[in-house]
Amino acid sequence: DIVMTQSPDSLAVSLGERATIHCKSSQSILRGSNNKNYLAWYQQKPGQPPKLLVYWASTRKSGVPDRFSGSGSGTDFTLTISSLQAEDVAVYYCHHYYNTPPTFGQGTKVEIK
Amino acid sequence: QLHLVQSGAEMKKPGASVKVSCKASGYTFTAYYIHWVRQAPGHGLEWMGWINPNSGATKYAQKFQGRVTMTRDTSTGTAYMELSSLRSADSTIYYCAASDASQGTLNWYDPWGQGTLVTVSS
């Protein structure tokens, strides 16, 4: 199974500042046949299910604020919140769907400093 | 708009089975795979398997083989996940989630159901 490791486990950022979350896969999740990275990012607020933010590592879902951006390729990926807002307090998960079984990172908790 | 609504919380005794439902609306039921993911405290998100609502084909995570059964009722647009031989470690929240079948089984999940809490206790 591909292991997804996120860092840090938690971070506290001031309102309006940048938050950066890293996700590393134990093997490449870039498929050569279509040059796509099989990685998604989700946001989960307390008492709610995860919500899709980004897929194909860098494609933002329609309706997601543009302060959220995904980047990276191969085994190293990043989710960046360019200007943290109060409503962004949540746990963020990366998820590979490169093969079966799909797996998730352990989550990164983002709080306000 | 795609929407998934799950059945309510369940309390079961060890050794029993639980069956959780996931009703889809706002789209053609057979156009999206339904995946089941559970979230245990300290264990993050764990994929359990998927069902193709069109064919009824299923794929289960090895960990749950022999204990999980995923089915669907196309007449009501509802998917089901049954987990048997319950133990305390199965006490957690279970989610259903949809993925676009046109892109195959390797896909992101959107949307998710609201979650169903299953508690296993004697």
Side-chain angles (χ1 to χ4, degrees):
Chain A
D1 297 2
I2 298 175
V3 177
M4 307 298 289
T5 304
Q6 291 182 229
S7 62
D9 289 334
S10 65
L11 75 161
V13 175
S14 300
L15 288 172
E17 296 300 305
R18 179 185 302 259
T20 303
I21 301 167
H22 301 279
C23 175
K24 187 174 183 67
S25 56
S26 60
Q27 68 180 70
S28 176
I29 54 174
L30 170 65
R31 198 170 297 279
S33 59
N34 59 10
N35 200 38
K36 287 184 181 292
N37 289 284
Y38 283 58
L39 184 102
W41 287 97
Y42 301 88
Q43 174 193 66
Q44 186 177 32
K45 297 181 179 180
Q48 296 183 20
K51 290 184 179 179
L52 179 70
L53 296 175
V54 169
Y55 55 94
W56 295 135
S58 60
T59 301
R60 193 183 309 114
K61 177 189 170 180
S62 176
V64 171
D66 61 6
R67 63 180 180 273
F68 291 94
S69 63
S71 62
S73 185
T75 61
D76 293 280
F77 302 89
T78 301
L79 177 70
T80 301
I81 310 173
S82 60
S83 176
L84 191 74
Q85 304 300 303
E87 61 265 33
D88 301 335
V89 169
V91 178
Y92 293 84
Y93 294 93
C94 60
H95 159 221
H96 94 78
Y97 46 96
Y98 181 83
N99 60 13
T100 300
T103 57
F104 297 82
Q106 80 277 16
T108 296
K109 187 174 186 179
V110 174
E111 300 172 307
I112 305 294
K113 185 188 291 183
Chain B
Q1 183 168 348
L2 286 73
H3 196 52
L4 301 175
V5 177
Q6 298 182 225
S7 48
E10 300 265 11
M11 184 165 288
K12 296 291 182 180
K13 293 194 181 303
S17 296
V18 68
K19 191 170 186 177
V20 180
S21 69
C22 172
K23 184 169 175 58
S25 63
Y27 70 98
T28 302
F29 180 59
T30 52
Y32 283 75
Y33 284 86
I34 296 294
H35 299 255
W36 290 89
V37 177
R38 74 179 191 179
Q39 184 168 34
H43 286 80
L45 294 161
E46 183 174 34
W47 177 80
M48 300 179 68
W50 55 254
I51 182 167
N52 178 341
N54 188 38
S55 66
T58 56
K59 177 75 171 178
Y60 303 139
Q62 195 164 5
K63 175 177 180 177
F64 300 103
Q65 287 276 3
R67 269 213 310 148
V68 70
T69 304
M70 296 177 188
T71 56
R72 92 295 191 208
D73 182 342
T74 55
S75 67
T76 62
T78 304
Y80 300 90
M81 186 283 297
E82 184 170 20
L83 188 62
S84 62
S85 303
L86 289 170
R87 40 227 188 207
S88 58
D90 294 319
S91 295
T92 187
I93 298 174
Y94 291 78
Y95 293 103
C96 62
S99 72
D100 188 344
S102 68
Q103 305 213 35
T105 62
L106 302 177
N107 211 347
W108 57 89
Y109 307 152
D110 183 45
W112 295 57
Q114 83 277 18
T116 296
L117 176 64
V118 174
T119 303
V120 182
S121 175
S122 55

